[in-house]
Amino acid sequence: MTTTQSELSRRDLIKGMGCGVAALMLSSAMVAHPELAHASDGEESDSAWGILIDLTRCTGCQSCALACKETNDRPNPNQTPIGLDTDAYSFVEEKQIENSVGQTESVYVKHQCMNCLHPACVSACTVGALRKTPEGPVVYDADKCIGCRYCQYACPFGVPAYEWENPLGLIHKCQMCADRLAEGESPACVAACPNGALRFGNRKQLLAQAHAQITSNPGRYVDKVYGEYEVGGTSVLYLSPVPFSFLGFPELGDEPNPRYAEAVMKQTPAIALTVASVVTALHLFMQRRQQVNGEATVHITSQKPGDEL
Amino acid sequence: MTVHAPSLRQEWQIGPFRKGDIIAGLLGFLVLIGLAAGVGRLFAGMGATTSLTDAYPWGIWIGFDFALIAFSGVGFTIAAVVHILHLHQFQPLLRPSILAGLFGYVAVLMLLLLDLGRPDRFYNFLLFYNMHSPLFEICWCVLLYTTVLVLEVSPDLLANLPWKWPLRLVYRLMTPVTIIGITLSTLHQSTLGTLYLNMPHRLHPLWYTPILPVLFYISSILAGLSLGIIAYKIAMAVRGQKENPAIAIGLGKGIVAVALLYLLIRVGEVIYAGELPLLLTWTPLNRLWLGEILFCSLIPIVLWATPSLRRQPWVHWVAPLSALLGVGMNRFNATLAAQSAPTSAFYSPSLLEWFSTLGIVAAGMLLWYLAVRFVMGSAVKLGYEQH
Ligand code: SF4
Ligand code: SF4
Ligand code: SF4
């Protein structure tokens, strides 16, 4: 290879790479603008259901967790669950906190799927096995699932559980008792609570009630309804006597987590078109340039006989 | 193919016994162990055979998978250099590279099959759509691009057929197929970065950035060009031919440009996002981040950009291997090290995960070795590709 040729080749290489990368950067610049981002399922419908959990009323009796096991046909229905897994879609966690006079006190926190308004699990699922229904529940179609477990990574609350012991494992999670809702019943956990700590109803009305409760009971609650705005809002809402961070609730922004990924995914056809046309143009341009330069026109698949491979 | 093997052997002067055969034997041994491990996973389930948990649902299978996809970017980058940029001096890289891309993706698909909870339903992404899902797009692109790679290597097989029309057809389609291949690669190489955009709550801020797709794409080009040099060098050794150092040097200059671009964007993003203070402490994660930068950008840039260094034969090994190490680290860190699990869980891969992974990677290498040794170049040799 002569010097001129290698000089030329380097410039061409850099130029070509530059073109391709520039096109992609253009697309991603558009992506970085949040106003282009929309979460998967549009705006919340006014009639969607919600569950309001009042932590000041919960005594940790576990009735909800056991009722949840029963309604979902989970094994060992009488065993109190200690975490979210394939056997328990809900559990009640005891949190020790220090109150204002320096004594330790227990706060019981019921955990389950938050049934997000813009669920990251739904956005991520490879085959659309997870779906947000207009009524509120985020439901799972076990027949579609391929067990890729991307939903587990996407969920900011660590909810979806996988059947590790099953060679053909599937995902398990609370689906807000969508079947019971369809039959006009309330979720099993809500129906089972003897202390009025769980309330089922229209999410917007529950929110209004929650804020009214905060105002009319000064000192009882912190002035925040967890789930009102977190990751774009969740169907399950919490009222707490202490700051949510004391109880280990994740501190999440108000934007739905899938916003960037969805914005990029929306650009897929544009990126494909850009790349295909840039590459085609580059191909024609370089081919022509070689002809003009008097170099041999080499067909795309051809080689000089006797060339090295 | 076997029918033609003897004549090819003579033609390319392959001796009766070679170093490559010992390595091939070792690879075959690894494949057998991997096969046993893979069967074990399929029948016993992941709970019994892996260290994966709900806190760490993805392990080294996915880590290797994503690293291998980046490395297999060798197929589209070298095809672009030769066919799109018409830099025909790099033609000798083409066949070893496309073959490396093909068997890289074959390994990727095998790993994916082990990792899927429902391997029996792997085809479900063909039936059910989720346009928002990065993984859905990756599945489609990998499937389509593997088909492209098969078409790109097919002339060497088709040339041996008694009928010539399939060969002519493939030659006619080659330009559009190459362009489609580059497009598909751009999509899924960048979408692998998009995949992590759904995890702002898990991924460390030094890795998480909205421009992850761009970073993943550029680093796949970096890995692809680097693997191209290595594939070429090994292929020449396997075929008993002398390599032309000017080829590696020429490509090395291109690598400098790509690595510089990557470095600028990667470091620029950290500065722009105000994350520089994160780097001022000396934590294991920071060391990993700096390691990535060192191996995938700084070392290749210094080695390829310094005229006295890039003429050294050792640089032609060390520089590309360093880039591959850096890009591989990046994929592993994004999948494992830089992920914070919801609980204080810990993941350390099981032996079966290691054996099955090594077996699959070995299978890819073995197939590549056999193809390079016995099949590659048939179309040229039989006189179907001419000036
Ligand atoms: S909490 Fe997790 S699993 Fe439940 S809807 Fe939200 S993202 Fe999905
Ligand atoms: S594991 Fe199943 S439900 Fe979860 S993302 Fe994958 S296909 Fe969807
Ligand atoms: S809504 Fe149903 S599935 Fe969800 S926690 Fe309550 S009882 Fe369990």
Side-chain angles (χ1 to χ4, degrees):
Chain A
M1 205 193 307
T2 69
T3 335
T4 30
Q5 259 176 333
S6 91
E7 284 295 308
L8 193 70
S9 74
R10 187 188 48 175
R11 256 185 288 133
D12 292 345
L13 197 62
I14 294 168
K15 211 183 282 175
M17 293 298 170
C19 275
V21 171
L24 198 79
M25 280 164 67
L26 211 70
S27 312
S28 57
M30 287 160 38
V31 160
H33 286 280
E35 62 268 20
L36 284 168
H38 301 282
S40 35
D41 294 285
E43 287 315 300
E44 185 195 2
S45 80
D46 281 337
S47 58
W49 299 112
I51 297 174
L52 176 63
I53 302 179
D54 185 341
L55 298 181
T56 65
R57 284 170 171 265
C58 178
T59 61
C61 73
Q62 304 287 347
S63 308
C64 57
L66 295 176
C68 174
K69 272 190 157 185
E70 194 194 324
T71 194
N72 288 302
D73 279 325
R74 295 297 88 205
N76 312 318
N78 297 319
Q79 207 175 355
T80 307
I82 50 162
L84 292 186
D85 56 32
T86 53
D87 289 353
Y89 301 172
S90 176
F91 83 108
V92 181
E93 186 186 14
E94 181 177 358
K95 285 275 182 188
Q96 304 283 347
I97 51 139
E98 208 165 280
N99 65 15
S100 44
V101 285
Q103 296 160 318
T104 42
E105 224 176 79
S106 286
V107 174
Y108 296 94
V109 183
K110 178 186 186 296
H111 293 277
Q112 72 295 303
C113 170
M114 300 291 283
N115 291 278
C116 308
L117 301 189
H118 304 288
C121 60
V122 170
S123 183
C125 178
T126 314
V127 289
L130 291 157
R131 188 168 57 89
K132 175 79 176 169
T133 61
E135 297 77 31
V138 173
V139 294
Y140 169 66
D141 184 344
D143 291 335
K144 288 185 183 172
C145 178
I146 53 172
C148 67
R149 312 187 292 286
Y150 188 20
C151 52
Q152 297 192 293
Y153 275 90
C155 173
F157 300 100
V159 168
Y162 181 75
E163 286 173 331
W164 293 103
E165 300 312 320
N166 182 350
L168 297 175
L170 290 169
I171 287 290
H172 287 260
K173 78 168 199 71
C174 151
Q175 302 176 56
M176 214 172 143
C177 283
D179 295 347
R180 288 174 60 102
L181 263 52
E183 284 169 11
E185 290 175 84
S186 61
C189 54
V190 178
C193 179
N195 301 310
L198 308 178
R199 203 181 310 158
F200 173 71
N202 176 286
R203 179 177 182 270
K204 293 216 159 136
Q205 284 170 10
L206 287 177
L207 265 175
Q209 290 169 13
H211 283 293
Q213 258 171 274
I214 293 174
T215 344
S216 54
N217 297 285
R220 184 176 173 103
Y221 304 106
V222 289
D223 188 12
K224 176 178 171 68
V225 182
Y226 192 93
E228 183 171 13
Y229 301 114
E230 274 70 19
V231 285
T234 57
S235 297
V236 179
L237 305 162
Y238 287 88
L239 280 173
S240 166
V242 291
F244 285 97
S245 55
F246 291 11
L247 302 173
F249 280 67
E251 281 179 55
L252 301 163
D254 294 349
E255 292 286 341
N257 268 2
R259 69 190 185 283
Y260 287 127
E262 288 194 1
V264 182
M265 294 311 294
K266 283 214 171 79
Q267 300 294 324
T268 302
I271 298 172
L273 266 176
T274 314
V275 175
S277 38
V278 167
V279 170
T280 310
L282 208 60
H283 162 63
L284 296 173
F285 172 77
M286 296 301 288
Q287 196 175 36
R288 214 183 121 61
R289 210 172 103 137
Q290 284 197 338
Q291 285 165 358
V292 171
N293 286 358
E295 291 177 37
T297 320
V298 191
H299 185 261
I300 192 150
T301 55
S302 63
Q303 278 182 305
K304 297 184 204 83
D307 256 4
E308 290 166 322
L309 287 170
Chain B
M1 285 344 309
T2 33
V3 183
H4 293 273
S7 67
L8 271 173
R9 283 173 87 111
Q10 284 152 18
E11 176 72 21
W12 300 97
Q13 291 147 8
I14 287 172
F17 178 75
R18 309 184 43 200
K19 224 179 357 185
D21 294 331
I22 303 174
I23 298 173
L26 284 175
L27 289 175
F29 181 65
L30 283 177
V31 173
L32 288 181
I33 297 179
L35 210 63
V39 170
R41 174 263 172 267
L42 289 179
F43 286 97
M46 283 188 271
T49 55
T50 71
S51 308
L52 299 172
T53 57
D54 282 340
Y56 278 105
W58 288 349
I60 53 167
W61 282 335
I62 292 286
F64 270 98
D65 235 340
F66 292 178
L68 276 178
I69 293 180
F71 294 177
S72 307
V74 65
F76 90 93
T77 41
I78 302 297
V81 167
V82 175
H83 288 330
I84 303 306
L85 302 180
H86 293 267
L87 304 175
H88 293 284
Q89 66 272 35
F90 296 115
Q91 177 88 26
L93 289 156
L94 191 63
R95 281 161 199 268
S97 296
I98 303 268
L99 281 172
L102 175 64
F103 293 120
Y105 277 97
V106 167
V108 164
L109 291 172
M110 289 194 278
L111 274 172
L112 221 50
L113 215 55
L114 276 194
D115 193 73
L116 273 194
R118 296 298 305 248
D120 56 319
R121 294 180 183 164
F122 71 93
Y123 53 82
N124 263 17
F125 71 93
L126 302 170
L127 307 176
F128 306 110
Y129 286 60
N130 180 11
M131 298 297 185
H132 288 140
S133 173
L135 217 42
F136 172 75
E137 193 216 272
I138 293 167
C139 285
W140 268 95
C141 284
V142 167
L143 177 78
L144 294 175
Y145 183 55
T146 308
T147 318
V148 164
L149 284 166
V150 169
L151 280 176
E152 284 179 336
V153 300
S154 66
D156 282 340
L157 292 173
L158 297 178
N160 293 291
L161 289 181
W163 324 279
K164 290 307 154 222
W165 63 265
L167 188 66
R168 276 197 293 271
L169 182 71
V170 167
Y171 278 160
R172 272 182 176 285
L173 292 175
M174 209 51 112
T175 305
V177 160
T178 305
I179 293 171
I180 291 170
I182 294 168
T183 308
L184 289 169
S185 295
T186 307
L187 285 181
H188 74 272
Q189 294 285 3
S190 61
T191 304
L192 277 165
T194 313
L195 183 115
Y196 292 96
L197 292 186
N198 273 330
M199 312 175 189
H201 56 290
R202 281 191 70 128
L203 194 58
H204 189 277
L206 281 177
W207 278 266
Y208 187 88
T209 150
I211 58 163
L212 267 180
V214 179
L215 289 174
F216 267 60
Y217 180 54
I218 300 175
S219 53
S220 77
I221 297 176
L222 189 60
L225 292 174
S226 299
L227 186 59
I229 293 176
I230 294 183
Y232 165 69
K233 291 174 76 72
I234 300 180
M236 288 299 106
V238 170
R239 299 297 287 260
Q241 291 179 347
K242 241 180 85 66
E243 50 177 282
N244 175 0
I247 287 181
I249 293 174
L251 212 57
K253 292 174 183 169
I255 291 176
V256 172
V258 181
L260 263 177
L261 184 69
Y262 184 75
L263 184 68
L264 275 175
I265 299 183
R266 190 91 196 268
V267 176
E269 189 279 329
V270 167
I271 296 171
Y272 177 78
E275 289 159 1
L276 216 49
L278 287 177
L279 279 173
L280 296 180
T281 49
W282 189 241
T283 64
L285 265 186
N286 289 356
R287 288 196 283 274
L288 285 177
W289 191 89
L290 291 171
E292 279 182 28
I293 298 292
L294 183 72
F295 289 121
C296 78
S297 298
L298 297 178
I299 292 181
I301 290 172
V302 169
L303 291 182
W304 287 125
T306 316
S308 58
L309 284 175
R310 67 168 169 247
R311 279 194 287 269
Q312 308 281 336
W314 62 268
V315 165
H316 298 190
W317 285 107
V318 171
L321 283 175
S322 163
L324 291 177
L325 177 66
V327 175
M329 271 175 78
N330 175 255
R331 302 305 193 258
F332 266 89
N333 291 342
T335 313
L336 293 167
Q339 292 271 349
S340 60
T343 55
S344 55
F346 183 71
Y347 163 78
S348 137
S350 72
L351 268 186
L352 183 135
E353 282 174 81
W354 279 115
F355 285 146
S356 52
T357 307
L358 292 181
I360 287 172
V361 173
M365 290 178 169
L366 186 61
L367 288 170
W368 181 83
Y369 171 79
L370 295 175
V372 165
R373 188 161 169 190
F374 296 116
V375 185
M376 188 175 83
S378 308
V380 183
K381 204 203 135 277
L382 297 172
Y384 295 109
E385 287 187 20
Q386 269 165 17
H387 192 39

mmCIF file of all heavy atoms in Angstrom, chain B residues 57-88:
data_model
loop_
_atom_site.group_PDB
_atom_site.id
_atom_site.type_symbol
_atom_site.label_atom_id
_atom_site.label_comp_id
_atom_site.label_asym_id
_atom_site.label_seq_id
_atom_site.Cartn_x
_atom_site.Cartn_y
_atom_site.Cartn_z
ATOM 1 N N PRO B 57 -31.806 -11.038 38.334
ATOM 2 C CA PRO B 57 -32.393 -12.000 37.401
ATOM 3 C C PRO B 57 -31.507 -12.268 36.180
ATOM 4 O O PRO B 57 -31.740 -13.237 35.471
ATOM 5 C CB PRO B 57 -33.700 -11.335 36.968
ATOM 6 C CG PRO B 57 -33.889 -10.157 37.876
ATOM 7 C CD PRO B 57 -32.534 -9.772 38.357
ATOM 8 N N TRP B 58 -30.551 -11.399 35.910
ATOM 9 C CA TRP B 58 -29.655 -11.617 34.775
ATOM 10 C C TRP B 58 -28.230 -11.774 35.297
ATOM 11 O O TRP B 58 -27.784 -11.011 36.146
ATOM 12 C CB TRP B 58 -29.668 -10.431 33.813
ATOM 13 C CG TRP B 58 -30.927 -10.308 33.012
ATOM 14 C CD1 TRP B 58 -31.923 -11.224 32.893
ATOM 15 C CD2 TRP B 58 -31.324 -9.194 32.199
ATOM 16 N NE1 TRP B 58 -32.919 -10.749 32.079
ATOM 17 C CE2 TRP B 58 -32.574 -9.514 31.639
ATOM 18 C CE3 TRP B 58 -30.742 -7.967 31.897
ATOM 19 C CZ2 TRP B 58 -33.251 -8.645 30.782
ATOM 20 C CZ3 TRP B 58 -31.419 -7.103 31.056
ATOM 21 C CH2 TRP B 58 -32.660 -7.450 30.498
ATOM 22 N N GLY B 59 -27.512 -12.750 34.735
ATOM 23 C CA GLY B 59 -26.149 -12.986 35.188
ATOM 24 C C GLY B 59 -25.162 -12.974 34.050
ATOM 25 O O GLY B 59 -25.289 -12.186 33.113
ATOM 26 N N ILE B 60 -24.167 -13.893 34.123
ATOM 27 C CA ILE B 60 -23.119 -13.857 33.109
ATOM 28 C C ILE B 60 -23.637 -14.290 31.737
ATOM 29 O O ILE B 60 -23.054 -13.929 30.726
ATOM 30 C CB ILE B 60 -21.895 -14.724 33.483
ATOM 31 C CG1 ILE B 60 -22.314 -16.139 33.835
ATOM 32 C CG2 ILE B 60 -21.108 -14.093 34.598
ATOM 33 C CD1 ILE B 60 -21.133 -17.101 33.890
ATOM 34 N N TRP B 61 -24.731 -15.049 31.687
ATOM 35 C CA TRP B 61 -25.265 -15.389 30.364
ATOM 36 C C TRP B 61 -25.575 -14.115 29.586
ATOM 37 O O TRP B 61 -25.187 -13.950 28.443
ATOM 38 C CB TRP B 61 -26.544 -16.221 30.503
ATOM 39 C CG TRP B 61 -26.299 -17.661 30.829
ATOM 40 C CD1 TRP B 61 -25.170 -18.373 30.555
ATOM 41 C CD2 TRP B 61 -27.201 -18.558 31.492
ATOM 42 N NE1 TRP B 61 -25.325 -19.656 31.004
ATOM 43 C CE2 TRP B 61 -26.558 -19.804 31.582
ATOM 44 C CE3 TRP B 61 -28.506 -18.441 32.000
ATOM 45 C CZ2 TRP B 61 -27.161 -20.917 32.157
ATOM 46 C CZ3 TRP B 61 -29.099 -19.542 32.575
ATOM 47 C CH2 TRP B 61 -28.437 -20.763 32.664
ATOM 48 N N ILE B 62 -26.312 -13.212 30.262
ATOM 49 C CA ILE B 62 -26.679 -11.958 29.603
ATOM 50 C C ILE B 62 -25.440 -11.093 29.400
ATOM 51 O O ILE B 62 -25.277 -10.444 28.364
ATOM 52 C CB ILE B 62 -27.753 -11.219 30.416
ATOM 53 C CG1 ILE B 62 -29.074 -12.011 30.386
ATOM 54 C CG2 ILE B 62 -27.976 -9.806 29.902
ATOM 55 C CD1 ILE B 62 -29.822 -11.950 29.080
ATOM 56 N N GLY B 63 -24.529 -11.099 30.387
ATOM 57 C CA GLY B 63 -23.297 -10.316 30.246
ATOM 58 C C GLY B 63 -22.527 -10.734 29.002
ATOM 59 O O GLY B 63 -22.157 -9.906 28.162
ATOM 60 N N PHE B 64 -22.292 -12.038 28.868
ATOM 61 C CA PHE B 64 -21.581 -12.537 27.692
ATOM 62 C C PHE B 64 -22.383 -12.281 26.420
ATOM 63 O O PHE B 64 -21.832 -11.971 25.358
ATOM 64 C CB PHE B 64 -21.293 -14.036 27.826
ATOM 65 C CG PHE B 64 -19.980 -14.327 28.492
ATOM 66 C CD1 PHE B 64 -19.919 -14.626 29.843
ATOM 67 C CD2 PHE B 64 -18.801 -14.281 27.768
ATOM 68 C CE1 PHE B 64 -18.710 -14.878 30.470
ATOM 69 C CE2 PHE B 64 -17.586 -14.533 28.381
ATOM 70 C CZ PHE B 64 -17.533 -14.840 29.743
ATOM 71 N N ASP B 65 -23.701 -12.446 26.539
ATOM 72 C CA ASP B 65 -24.570 -12.226 25.390
ATOM 73 C C ASP B 65 -24.375 -10.828 24.819
ATOM 74 O O ASP B 65 -24.151 -10.645 23.624
ATOM 75 C CB ASP B 65 -26.026 -12.364 25.838
ATOM 76 C CG ASP B 65 -26.758 -13.390 24.999
ATOM 77 O OD1 ASP B 65 -26.277 -13.676 23.892
ATOM 78 O OD2 ASP B 65 -27.787 -13.888 25.452
ATOM 79 N N PHE B 66 -24.454 -9.834 25.711
ATOM 80 C CA PHE B 66 -24.384 -8.454 25.245
ATOM 81 C C PHE B 66 -22.962 -8.109 24.781
ATOM 82 O O PHE B 66 -22.782 -7.340 23.838
ATOM 83 C CB PHE B 66 -24.877 -7.496 26.331
ATOM 84 C CG PHE B 66 -26.360 -7.633 26.596
ATOM 85 C CD1 PHE B 66 -26.991 -6.887 27.579
ATOM 86 C CD2 PHE B 66 -27.139 -8.510 25.840
ATOM 87 C CE1 PHE B 66 -28.363 -7.009 27.814
ATOM 88 C CE2 PHE B 66 -28.505 -8.640 26.068
ATOM 89 C CZ PHE B 66 -29.112 -7.891 27.066
ATOM 90 N N ALA B 67 -21.957 -8.694 25.459
ATOM 91 C CA ALA B 67 -20.585 -8.467 25.008
ATOM 92 C C ALA B 67 -20.392 -9.110 23.624
ATOM 93 O O ALA B 67 -19.811 -8.501 22.719
ATOM 94 C CB ALA B 67 -19.597 -9.040 26.009
ATOM 95 N N LEU B 68 -20.923 -10.326 23.463
ATOM 96 C CA LEU B 68 -20.765 -11.013 22.182
ATOM 97 C C LEU B 68 -21.470 -10.279 21.049
ATOM 98 O O LEU B 68 -20.985 -10.261 19.914
ATOM 99 C CB LEU B 68 -21.325 -12.440 22.273
ATOM 100 C CG LEU B 68 -20.382 -13.504 22.839
ATOM 101 C CD1 LEU B 68 -21.093 -14.844 22.909
ATOM 102 C CD2 LEU B 68 -19.136 -13.613 21.968
ATOM 103 N N ILE B 69 -22.614 -9.687 21.352
ATOM 104 C CA ILE B 69 -23.302 -8.932 20.303
ATOM 105 C C ILE B 69 -22.426 -7.761 19.862
ATOM 106 O O ILE B 69 -22.271 -7.489 18.675
ATOM 107 C CB ILE B 69 -24.691 -8.445 20.774
ATOM 108 C CG1 ILE B 69 -25.620 -9.640 20.976
ATOM 109 C CG2 ILE B 69 -25.304 -7.487 19.752
ATOM 110 C CD1 ILE B 69 -27.020 -9.280 21.438
ATOM 111 N N ALA B 70 -21.827 -7.087 20.854
ATOM 112 C CA ALA B 70 -20.943 -5.967 20.505
ATOM 113 C C ALA B 70 -19.764 -6.470 19.669
ATOM 114 O O ALA B 70 -19.438 -5.891 18.629
ATOM 115 C CB ALA B 70 -20.442 -5.269 21.767
ATOM 116 N N PHE B 71 -19.137 -7.579 20.102
ATOM 117 C CA PHE B 71 -17.996 -8.111 19.349
ATOM 118 C C PHE B 71 -18.426 -8.514 17.936
ATOM 119 O O PHE B 71 -17.707 -8.319 16.964
ATOM 120 C CB PHE B 71 -17.410 -9.348 20.042
ATOM 121 C CG PHE B 71 -16.791 -9.054 21.385
ATOM 122 C CD1 PHE B 71 -16.272 -10.074 22.161
ATOM 123 C CD2 PHE B 71 -16.722 -7.760 21.877
ATOM 124 C CE1 PHE B 71 -15.700 -9.819 23.402
ATOM 125 C CE2 PHE B 71 -16.159 -7.485 23.122
ATOM 126 C CZ PHE B 71 -15.651 -8.527 23.883
ATOM 127 N N SER B 72 -19.622 -9.090 17.843
ATOM 128 C CA SER B 72 -20.099 -9.559 16.542
ATOM 129 C C SER B 72 -20.438 -8.393 15.635
ATOM 130 O O SER B 72 -20.783 -8.599 14.471
ATOM 131 C CB SER B 72 -21.307 -10.472 16.717
ATOM 132 O OG SER B 72 -20.979 -11.503 17.627
ATOM 133 N N GLY B 73 -20.344 -7.188 16.162
ATOM 134 C CA GLY B 73 -20.442 -6.001 15.330
ATOM 135 C C GLY B 73 -19.357 -6.011 14.258
ATOM 136 O O GLY B 73 -19.391 -5.221 13.312
ATOM 137 N N VAL B 74 -18.402 -6.947 14.379
ATOM 138 C CA VAL B 74 -17.351 -7.098 13.376
ATOM 139 C C VAL B 74 -17.959 -7.326 11.994
ATOM 140 O O VAL B 74 -17.441 -6.843 10.985
ATOM 141 C CB VAL B 74 -16.392 -8.262 13.766
ATOM 142 C CG1 VAL B 74 -17.105 -9.604 13.763
ATOM 143 C CG2 VAL B 74 -15.182 -8.309 12.858
ATOM 144 N N GLY B 75 -19.078 -8.036 11.948
ATOM 145 C CA GLY B 75 -19.707 -8.334 10.652
ATOM 146 C C GLY B 75 -20.140 -7.079 9.923
ATOM 147 O O GLY B 75 -19.804 -6.864 8.758
ATOM 148 N N PHE B 76 -20.857 -6.212 10.638
ATOM 149 C CA PHE B 76 -21.385 -5.046 9.923
ATOM 150 C C PHE B 76 -20.328 -3.955 9.732
ATOM 151 O O PHE B 76 -20.343 -3.252 8.718
ATOM 152 C CB PHE B 76 -22.659 -4.516 10.607
ATOM 153 C CG PHE B 76 -22.460 -3.471 11.671
ATOM 154 C CD1 PHE B 76 -22.508 -2.120 11.339
ATOM 155 C CD2 PHE B 76 -22.253 -3.817 12.995
ATOM 156 C CE1 PHE B 76 -22.348 -1.152 12.322
ATOM 157 C CE2 PHE B 76 -22.096 -2.853 13.982
ATOM 158 C CZ PHE B 76 -22.146 -1.517 13.633
ATOM 159 N N THR B 77 -19.385 -3.831 10.675
ATOM 160 C CA THR B 77 -18.399 -2.759 10.514
ATOM 161 C C THR B 77 -17.458 -3.062 9.342
ATOM 162 O O THR B 77 -17.203 -2.183 8.516
ATOM 163 C CB THR B 77 -17.567 -2.553 11.787
ATOM 164 O OG1 THR B 77 -17.236 -3.818 12.341
ATOM 165 C CG2 THR B 77 -18.301 -1.764 12.818
ATOM 166 N N ILE B 78 -16.967 -4.295 9.276
ATOM 167 C CA ILE B 78 -16.033 -4.594 8.195
ATOM 168 C C ILE B 78 -16.770 -4.606 6.849
ATOM 169 O O ILE B 78 -16.232 -4.152 5.827
ATOM 170 C CB ILE B 78 -15.300 -5.932 8.449
ATOM 171 C CG1 ILE B 78 -14.545 -5.872 9.792
ATOM 172 C CG2 ILE B 78 -14.335 -6.246 7.320
ATOM 173 C CD1 ILE B 78 -13.454 -4.833 9.884
ATOM 174 N N ALA B 79 -18.022 -5.080 6.844
ATOM 175 C CA ALA B 79 -18.803 -5.018 5.604
ATOM 176 C C ALA B 79 -18.957 -3.574 5.161
ATOM 177 O O ALA B 79 -18.865 -3.256 3.972
ATOM 178 C CB ALA B 79 -20.170 -5.670 5.806
ATOM 179 N N ALA B 80 -19.165 -2.670 6.124
ATOM 180 C CA ALA B 80 -19.313 -1.255 5.775
ATOM 181 C C ALA B 80 -18.008 -0.694 5.223
ATOM 182 O O ALA B 80 -18.006 0.035 4.229
ATOM 183 C CB ALA B 80 -19.759 -0.455 7.000
ATOM 184 N N VAL B 81 -16.899 -1.057 5.851
ATOM 185 C CA VAL B 81 -15.603 -0.541 5.397
ATOM 186 C C VAL B 81 -15.339 -0.989 3.953
ATOM 187 O O VAL B 81 -14.948 -0.189 3.099
ATOM 188 C CB VAL B 81 -14.472 -1.033 6.334
ATOM 189 C CG1 VAL B 81 -13.108 -0.777 5.708
ATOM 190 C CG2 VAL B 81 -14.574 -0.353 7.685
ATOM 191 N N VAL B 82 -15.593 -2.249 3.674
ATOM 192 C CA VAL B 82 -15.240 -2.776 2.358
ATOM 193 C C VAL B 82 -16.293 -2.445 1.300
ATOM 194 O O VAL B 82 -15.974 -1.979 0.213
ATOM 195 C CB VAL B 82 -15.025 -4.304 2.437
ATOM 196 C CG1 VAL B 82 -14.766 -4.877 1.049
ATOM 197 C CG2 VAL B 82 -13.867 -4.616 3.373
ATOM 198 N N HIS B 83 -17.561 -2.678 1.645
ATOM 199 C CA HIS B 83 -18.598 -2.563 0.618
ATOM 200 C C HIS B 83 -19.183 -1.167 0.501
ATOM 201 O O HIS B 83 -19.624 -0.757 -0.565
ATOM 202 C CB HIS B 83 -19.740 -3.534 0.910
ATOM 203 C CG HIS B 83 -19.356 -4.958 0.652
ATOM 204 N ND1 HIS B 83 -18.434 -5.313 -0.299
ATOM 205 C CD2 HIS B 83 -19.771 -6.107 1.222
ATOM 206 C CE1 HIS B 83 -18.306 -6.622 -0.305
ATOM 207 N NE2 HIS B 83 -19.092 -7.133 0.612
ATOM 208 N N ILE B 84 -19.249 -0.434 1.600
ATOM 209 C CA ILE B 84 -19.894 0.884 1.554
ATOM 210 C C ILE B 84 -18.852 1.975 1.335
ATOM 211 O O ILE B 84 -19.013 2.845 0.492
ATOM 212 C CB ILE B 84 -20.689 1.150 2.851
ATOM 213 C CG1 ILE B 84 -21.723 0.038 3.051
ATOM 214 C CG2 ILE B 84 -21.361 2.516 2.805
ATOM 215 C CD1 ILE B 84 -22.656 -0.184 1.876
ATOM 216 N N LEU B 85 -17.767 1.909 2.103
ATOM 217 C CA LEU B 85 -16.719 2.906 1.921
ATOM 218 C C LEU B 85 -15.795 2.532 0.768
ATOM 219 O O LEU B 85 -14.928 3.315 0.378
ATOM 220 C CB LEU B 85 -15.908 3.072 3.213
ATOM 221 C CG LEU B 85 -16.716 3.484 4.446
ATOM 222 C CD1 LEU B 85 -15.813 3.614 5.658
ATOM 223 C CD2 LEU B 85 -17.430 4.802 4.197
ATOM 224 N N HIS B 86 -15.991 1.329 0.232
ATOM 225 C CA HIS B 86 -15.197 0.858 -0.909
ATOM 226 C C HIS B 86 -13.700 0.964 -0.649
ATOM 227 O O HIS B 86 -12.931 1.337 -1.524
ATOM 228 C CB HIS B 86 -15.563 1.626 -2.180
ATOM 229 C CG HIS B 86 -16.952 1.318 -2.631
ATOM 230 N ND1 HIS B 86 -17.244 0.343 -3.543
ATOM 231 C CD2 HIS B 86 -18.139 1.825 -2.246
ATOM 232 C CE1 HIS B 86 -18.546 0.278 -3.714
ATOM 233 N NE2 HIS B 86 -19.118 1.163 -2.932
ATOM 234 N N LEU B 87 -13.301 0.659 0.563
ATOM 235 C CA LEU B 87 -11.876 0.639 0.874
ATOM 236 C C LEU B 87 -11.390 -0.786 0.631
ATOM 237 O O LEU B 87 -11.286 -1.583 1.554
ATOM 238 C CB LEU B 87 -11.633 1.080 2.320
ATOM 239 C CG LEU B 87 -12.216 2.454 2.657
ATOM 240 C CD1 LEU B 87 -12.049 2.784 4.128
ATOM 241 C CD2 LEU B 87 -11.528 3.522 1.800
ATOM 242 N N HIS B 88 -11.132 -1.081 -0.627
ATOM 243 C CA HIS B 88 -10.908 -2.476 -0.991
ATOM 244 C C HIS B 88 -9.592 -3.029 -0.511
ATOM 245 O O HIS B 88 -9.381 -4.234 -0.583
ATOM 246 C CB HIS B 88 -11.082 -2.655 -2.495
ATOM 247 C CG HIS B 88 -12.503 -2.425 -2.896
ATOM 248 N ND1 HIS B 88 -13.472 -3.361 -2.674
ATOM 249 C CD2 HIS B 88 -13.122 -1.342 -3.423
ATOM 250 C CE1 HIS B 88 -14.640 -2.883 -3.071
ATOM 251 N NE2 HIS B 88 -14.459 -1.655 -3.527
#
